[in-house]
């Protein structure tokens, strides 16, 4: 939608005439009428655009202004390796740096940015989906298991794992993607700590 159509639509939505809006931004009453109907001026000037965007509650970019750059948010990188193989012993999870991402990425994933952490995968048991060295974006706000397997990072007896996990009654059924990996026997739900659901993978190409 172009700026002219946006002005017309937002003005109608709020029941405001173009003449009244023109006066509000300090212009003659015909200013916005000419902009919408004739394309004159071709672009709103910065002051008019800023005032209209504030009144409409929209980003200036939809009125022809430059797109606002979203402030990047920090995702902590946990100094732990979620084993996609035999399993790795983890005593303490501590932050070892961070990755900065566009908050719109988290929004598309349906995740609150503050709930995201990153953990590195090690091993081959989750191939071809997850490879050794992949960075896992984990939503620590989503720890809900169901009978339908989901991709989770979990800790069992101090061992950090990334697996497909389903809960059936009081048991967790844990599975690997790689058919060559030995199966894991069901475990009691109270033996496991669910860290969060894996919502994204990042892989370095070599």
């Amino acid at each position: 939608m172009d700026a002219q159509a946006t002005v017309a639509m937002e003005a109608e939505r709020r029941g405001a005439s173009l003449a009244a809006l023109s006066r509000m931004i300090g212009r003659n009453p015909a200013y916005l009428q000419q902009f919408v109907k004739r394309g004159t001026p071709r672009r709103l000037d910065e002051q008019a655009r800023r005032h209209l965007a504030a009144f409409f509650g929209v980003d200036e970019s939809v009125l022809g202004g430059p797109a606002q750059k979203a402030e990047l948010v920090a995702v902590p990188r946990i100094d732990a390796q979620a084993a996609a193989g035999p399993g790795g012993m983890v005593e303490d999870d501590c932050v070892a740096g961070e990755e900065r991402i566009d908050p719109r990425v988290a929004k598309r994933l349906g995740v609150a940015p503050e709930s995201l952490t990153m953990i590195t995968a090690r091993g081959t048991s989750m191939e071809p989906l997850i490879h050794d060295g992949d960075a896992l974006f984990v939503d620590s706000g989503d720890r809900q298991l169901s009978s339908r397997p989901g991709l989770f990072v979990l800790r069992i007896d101090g061992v950090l794992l990334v697996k497909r996990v389903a809960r059936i009654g009081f048991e967790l059924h844990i599975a690997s993607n790689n058919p060559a990996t030995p199966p894991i026997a069901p475990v009691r739900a109270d033996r496991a700590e669910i860290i969060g659901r894996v919502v994204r993978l990042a892989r370095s190409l070599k």
Side-chain angles (χ1 to χ4, degrees):
M1 184 181 297
D2 59 23
Q4 287 88 347
T6 299
V7 169
M9 180 186 71
E10 296 294 341
E12 182 178 0
R13 180 180 297 173
R14 287 159 179 76
S17 70
L18 294 176
L21 291 175
S22 295
R23 288 192 291 269
M24 181 189 75
I25 62 176
R27 301 305 174 91
N28 70 71
Y31 178 79
L32 288 177
Q33 181 75 20
Q34 293 175 341
F35 174 70
V36 169
K37 300 297 184 181
R38 301 180 184 177
T40 304
R42 294 183 63 184
R43 297 174 64 87
L44 295 170
D45 66 35
E46 183 177 354
Q47 182 180 24
R49 188 176 64 237
R50 184 172 63 252
H51 287 169
L52 286 172
F55 179 76
F56 292 149
V58 300
D59 192 291
E60 285 190 44
S61 62
V62 303
L63 299 177
Q68 290 186 350
K69 293 184 178 180
E71 184 176 350
L72 299 182
V73 296
V75 176
R77 183 184 288 275
I78 303 302
D79 187 15
Q81 297 179 344
M89 297 300 294
V90 178
E91 295 181 356
D92 297 300
D93 296 343
C94 58
V95 176
E98 64 185 26
E99 297 286 335
R100 303 191 72 82
I101 67 169
D102 190 316
R104 290 171 292 191
V105 173
K107 184 177 181 179
R108 286 196 296 270
L109 294 171
V111 178
E114 61 271 18
S115 296
L116 280 175
T117 56
M118 291 182 67
I119 300 177
T120 301
R122 293 299 180 201
T124 61
S125 73
M126 292 302 289
E127 290 184 351
L129 177 62
I130 300 174
H131 291 240
D132 183 71
D134 284 355
L136 311 178
F137 285 76
V138 181
D139 178 10
S140 61
D142 184 356
R143 304 180 185 185
Q144 188 66 39
L145 301 177
S146 71
S147 59
R148 183 176 180 179
L151 191 60
F152 286 88
V153 173
L154 69 161
R155 183 184 284 108
I156 300 176
D157 298 332
V159 177
L160 200 66
L161 302 169
V162 53
K163 299 291 181 185
R164 293 201 178 277
V165 186
R167 177 166 182 163
I168 301 176
F170 295 103
E171 289 185 336
L172 299 187
H173 292 244
I174 302 169
S176 302
N177 272 31
N178 190 336
T181 301
I184 300 174
V187 300
R188 295 196 320 268
D190 60 4
R191 281 187 55 201
E193 177 191 358
I194 306 301
I195 306 303
R197 184 186 295 272
V198 178
V199 294
R200 192 184 192 201
L201 305 175
R203 179 172 302 158
S204 297
L205 299 178
K206 297 180 180 179

